[in-house]
């Protein structure tokens, strides 16, 4: 492991064009549950499967039950950035990290100080009235009894997160593809690379070094220059 950390440290030291692609494992170390691990949301018992609850159809048809789950399990407003978030923000300030591409919706990268964050699946911190378009922050939604409503027109508020059955934002995709295709180093961390289309986007990387950091193996391990099977926060904490 020491040799791998040393190699990673050397690669990061020598680059000024690094992109980070992260998944749920980056946030679990801040206490936010993921979907697919043994302790994840998919393995908890609910009236409906979690993937059904966070679908567009369920949001429209059973809005109150959607928000019961969403506010309880997906809005961890007390969570704080961990070593991985902070290290990425530091690298951005040093001119090394050009973009953070994340599948997470918690906003912890921005809280840590990262500026160029591309949120493939949206953010719990952006919420809009479906009737008049007024913006609401996460605390308004979290603290609203039942289904959150607009305080101006009474319209239904929808979080700006990508639900199942919804497409990714085309502008975010374009920016992510540009960042990936122009990077010299790509670090993928805290993701099983099982969620598409997001996982397929790494195919646009044509740079020098592909690094995979994840507790378990992934389908892309064979393509990587360096694979570290450990928590992303612990690895970045040693850098």
């Amino acid at each position: 492991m020491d040799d791998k950390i040393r190699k990673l440290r050397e690669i990061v030291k020598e680059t000024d064009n690094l992109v980070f692609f992260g998944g749920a494992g980056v946030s679990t170390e801040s206490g936010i549950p993921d979907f697919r691990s043994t302790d994840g949301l998919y393995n908890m018992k609910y009236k409906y499967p979690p993937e059904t609850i966070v679908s567009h159809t369920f949001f429209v048809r059973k809005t109150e039950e959607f928000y019961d789950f969403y506010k309880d399990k997906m809005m961890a407003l007390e969570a704080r950035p961990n070593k991985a978030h902070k290290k990425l923000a530091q690298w951005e300030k040093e001119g090394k990290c050009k973009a953070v591409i994340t599948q997470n919706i918690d906003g912890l990268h921005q809280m840590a100080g990262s500026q160029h964050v591309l949120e493939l699946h949206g953010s719990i911190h952006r919420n809009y009235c479906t009737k008049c378009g007024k913006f609401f922050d996460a605390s308004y939604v979290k603290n609203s009894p039942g289904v959150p409503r607009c305080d101006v027109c009474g319209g239904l508020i929808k979080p700006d997160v990508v639900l199942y059955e919804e497409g990714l934002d085309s502008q975010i995709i374009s920016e992510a593809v540009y960042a990936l295709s122009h990077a010299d180093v790509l670090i993928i961390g805290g993701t099983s690379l099982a969620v598409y289309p997001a996982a397929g986007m790494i195919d646009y990387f044509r740079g020098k070094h592909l690094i995979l950091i994840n507790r378990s193996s992934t389908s892309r391990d064979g393509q990587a220059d360096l694979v570290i099977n450990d928590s992303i926060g612990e690895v970045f904490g040693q850098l």
Side-chain angles (χ1 to χ4, degrees):
M1 181 59 72
D2 288 344
D3 288 341
K4 290 187 174 184
I5 296 296
R6 195 176 301 114
K7 183 177 179 181
L8 176 57
R9 190 182 292 122
E10 289 173 0
I11 291 172
V12 172
K13 182 179 179 181
E14 293 172 1
T15 188
D16 61 356
N17 188 5
L18 179 156
V19 166
F20 179 79
F21 184 99
V26 181
S27 293
T28 52
E29 294 174 52
S30 291
I32 297 176
D34 66 0
F35 272 72
R36 289 173 171 76
S37 71
T38 53
D39 299 321
L41 298 178
Y42 279 168
N43 292 301
M44 296 181 183
K45 303 302 180 186
Y46 297 101
K47 186 178 178 181
Y48 303 94
E51 62 267 38
T52 298
I53 299 174
V54 291
S55 69
H56 179 82
T57 297
F58 196 90
F59 174 79
V60 172
R61 295 179 179 174
K62 296 182 179 292
T63 311
E64 188 165 356
E65 289 176 83
F66 166 88
Y67 267 115
D68 285 344
F69 177 88
Y70 178 76
K71 287 192 277 189
D72 185 42
K73 297 300 181 184
M74 300 181 72
M75 298 190 77
L77 301 189
E78 72 288 346
R80 292 296 177 265
N82 59 52
K83 294 174 184 176
H85 300 106
K86 293 174 182 177
K87 181 59 69 174
L88 288 165
Q90 176 192 325
W91 286 345
E92 183 181 276
K93 289 179 182 176
E94 294 172 352
K96 290 183 175 294
C97 185
K98 302 305 181 186
V100 170
I101 303 169
T102 180
Q103 299 175 79
N104 299 329
I105 60 174
D106 47 57
L108 292 180
H109 285 293
Q110 291 93 329
M111 193 182 296
S114 291
Q115 301 290 318
H116 193 201
V117 181
L118 301 173
E119 298 171 310
L120 296 176
H121 297 150
S123 173
I124 63 170
H125 297 284
R126 297 188 301 270
N127 305 274
Y128 300 94
C129 173
T130 56
K131 192 174 180 181
C132 73
K134 182 178 176 180
F135 170 87
F136 294 89
D137 63 16
S139 61
Y140 182 92
V141 171
K142 180 89 169 180
N143 297 321
S144 295
V147 176
R149 295 279 176 179
C150 178
D151 58 3
V152 174
C153 72
L156 171 64
I157 294 173
K158 184 182 185 297
D160 185 19
V161 298
V162 180
L163 303 176
Y164 284 97
E165 304 168 346
E166 296 180 341
L168 303 187
D169 183 280
S170 59
Q171 181 62 35
I172 297 295
I173 292 174
S174 296
E175 291 183 42
V177 167
Y178 181 88
L180 288 165
S181 61
H182 287 77
D184 288 333
V185 175
L186 174 59
I187 300 178
I188 300 173
T191 174
S192 60
L193 293 174
V195 178
Y196 284 81
M201 294 177 64
I202 66 171
D203 291 331
Y204 288 98
F205 176 67
R206 294 288 186 271
K208 297 176 184 175
H209 298 289
L210 173 61
I211 300 159
L212 280 167
I213 306 170
N214 196 50
R215 289 183 183 275
S216 58
S217 60
T218 78
S219 60
R220 303 299 187 106
D221 286 6
Q223 299 172 234
D225 300 291
L226 180 62
V227 177
I228 301 177
N229 292 130
D230 202 349
S231 81
I232 185 76
E234 288 305 308
V235 171
F236 276 20
Q238 297 180 60
L239 301 176

